[in-house]
Amino acid sequence: MQYSLRLTLADELDTQKLATALSGVIQEGVVYLIGDLGAGKTTFTRHFLQALGHQGAVKSPTYTLVEPYRIQQKEIFHFDLYRLNDPYELELMGIRDYLDVPHALFLFEWPSKGENEIPEPDIIIQIEKSEDDLERYVTIELNDAQQYVQLKDLI
């Protein structure tokens, strides 16, 4: 990735602010959400989807692998690959049908488990816990210069 931003989140409100800022910049493409268990990937996703206009609960697709959303005529697919035993399972569940949706947004938690079955990311959001588990360190990596400038101005 060509551009990188790093910031510290003190609490969930900071996570919500970041998710809201990113929702104005990321409209489609592939986003990888990387971090240990409990780092805040699903929390970030919930705030991100709500900032886009989703009403109601945001379920973690840990067991279903994917949770589809339609928000303001936009297709969004939230994948959680944590329980994936073999990347080929994605083919069996019909991942190509999802990936063929034009102008959709794909959020992948645990993307390393998808190996070559999922597309390369447009943006990587890595969330790390501090040693005392009170703060989060977020690194955002991307290749799009315009998105980078927008994010730098918003964050």
Side-chain angles (χ1 to χ4, degrees), residues 27-99:
Q27 299 297 311
E28 63 182 64
V30 177
V31 177
Y32 283 9
L33 297 161
I34 299 172
D36 291 335
L37 279 173
K41 299 177 300 294
T42 301
T43 299
F44 169 84
T45 300
R46 180 180 73 243
H47 289 300
F48 182 80
L49 294 173
Q50 289 171 342
L52 288 173
H54 177 68
Q55 303 294 313
V58 173
K59 298 182 271 182
S60 176
T62 302
Y63 292 99
T64 59
L65 294 181
V66 64
E67 189 68 39
Y69 297 89
R70 185 168 178 82
I71 304 171
Q72 298 179 5
Q73 307 307 313
K74 173 144 305 283
E75 301 292 339
I76 302 168
F77 301 98
H78 177 205
F79 290 85
D80 185 337
L81 307 182
Y82 179 72
R83 296 208 182 274
L84 196 67
N85 292 315
D86 184 327
Y88 186 68
E89 291 175 47
L90 292 169
E91 280 297 324
L92 298 175
M93 68 163 283
I95 192 168
R96 298 289 157 223
D97 294 336
Y98 295 106
L99 297 176

Side-chain angles (χ1 to χ4, degrees), residues 6 9 13 27 34 38 40 60 64-65 67 79 89 91 96 106 113 115 122 125 129 135 141 143:
R6 185 158 171 88
L9 306 177
L13 183 58
Q27 299 297 311
I34 299 172
S60 176
T64 59
L65 294 181
E67 189 68 39
F79 290 85
E89 291 175 47
E91 280 297 324
R96 298 289 157 223
F106 303 94
K113 293 190 169 237
E115 296 180 4
D122 297 300
I125 300 170
K129 298 188 279 188
E135 294 179 319
E141 298 177 60
N143 285 322

